Amino acid sequence: MATAPTESPDADQEDALATRAAWLYYAGGMTQSEVAAALMVAPAKAHRLVARASRLGSVRVFVEGPIAGCMQQERHLIREFGLRFCRVVPTLAPEALPLRALGIAMAGVLLNELEAGRHRVIGVGHGRTLAAAIDHLPRLSRPDLRFVSLLGGVPRQTSATPFDVILRLAEKAGAEAYLLPVPFFANSAADRAVLLGQRGVAQAMAMAREATLYLVGIGDVAGEQSFLPQTGIVSAAEAAALQARGAVGEVLGRYLDATGREIDTDLHERVIALPLDAMAGREVLGVAGGASKVAALRAVLARQVLSGLITDELTARQLLEPTGPRQQTKGSYSCTRKRKTSRAPSSPAGSVGVT
């Protein structure tokens, strides 16, 4: 089990001052200049305090309720891919990876799940979008909750580790974090067997199988934004070989072709992560978006790994196009266009994160 380091008393006082500044700014309706005067600090510091409160998760900014157009996309994605839950959010900007929009949406859904208290063990994967969600998650207290890593987290480069996601998440939720202190990919199948036999690793894997909610990221294979090659967990040569074999997407270290089948690669014999089949019948929430993720999402959805999906409107529109992305037609679905919508819910009652 891992615990977050405690901060100094000075840091605690600064956090308290930041929370007060945020209260005056958001709830009190003061300008930042007025906040500075009320707290007797310089205007520049008032700005930093409000920003600090946002980073700490003291400020909750969630927009609840259905969004015109996105509701139709959600219903179509649920029907098309057999999902139980789907959340589509407006694209804030035509960026390669809509991390901010998806991070805010994921944080809202996850907050609902944590406050509902339905889960005692939650399995956590990796990815930049999951990390972005934690930035927007407010602090709460769930000491009864356990987060467990679904994959090894010792990368080839120390600049990026999947452990960062689960540790920050546990800190925000006031919960416990259980890690897999082994590489994501072992050097050989024999080494993998030895590592999985270690007591702490076996216990963490057993706990992961008990989870009732899984949070997973979805990766592309070899693009400029591809997470695993960027961090060195998968080499450029390995990524190229995976692409040559037909891989278009990755989830928990399993590489899938366009039909959702796992491709033939020795990486699958060396990966230290919960098998996809172990999550069958559970709530598996995936979050991903951007043009580079469309093929990967199609593969993961074809494999029926996910029960819930969070994505953005541009990605949703491309997923719903039967022959792939093309120019928008009169019948295309968009969150930002006014369309007639019904009052039917976007997902059935009891599915993940329904508000």
Side-chain angles (χ1 to χ4, degrees), residues 191-340:
D191 286 348
R192 175 181 182 270
V194 171
L195 292 171
L196 286 174
Q198 300 300 304
R199 180 182 302 174
V201 176
Q203 290 174 341
M205 290 294 285
M207 185 185 300
R209 292 176 180 273
E210 297 174 1
T212 52
L213 172 63
Y214 297 99
L215 311 175
V216 299
I218 296 161
D220 55 343
V221 178
E224 293 182 0
Q225 301 290 333
S226 185
F227 177 72
L228 294 184
Q230 276 194 350
T231 58
I233 296 174
V234 170
S235 69
E238 288 170 331
L242 289 165
Q243 218 173 15
R245 289 177 177 268
V248 297
E250 172 268 332
V251 58
L252 296 183
R254 266 71 181 190
Y255 285 88
L256 309 178
D257 65 15
T259 67
R261 295 188 180 92
E262 293 187 16
I263 68 164
D264 182 17
T265 171
D266 74 311
L267 288 174
H268 292 163
E269 300 175 359
R270 300 191 285 113
V271 65
I272 302 179
L274 188 71
L276 300 184
D277 292 342
M279 301 186 294
R282 312 288 179 86
E283 294 182 4
V284 184
L285 181 59
V287 54
S292 65
K293 296 294 184 74
V294 173
L297 273 168
R298 283 184 179 275
V300 173
L301 290 168
R303 175 65 186 268
Q304 296 185 323
V305 175
L306 306 179
S307 64
L309 172 65
I310 298 175
T311 191
D312 68 298
E313 61 176 313
L314 293 182
T315 305
R317 185 187 308 162
Q318 293 181 55
L319 288 172
L320 291 169
E321 294 287 355
T323 57
R326 61 175 180 259
Q327 288 186 348
Q328 181 175 332
T329 65
K330 189 175 180 180
S332 297
Y333 298 105
S334 171
C335 294
T336 52
R337 295 181 64 195
K338 292 184 178 179
R339 299 184 56 87
K340 293 181 180 179

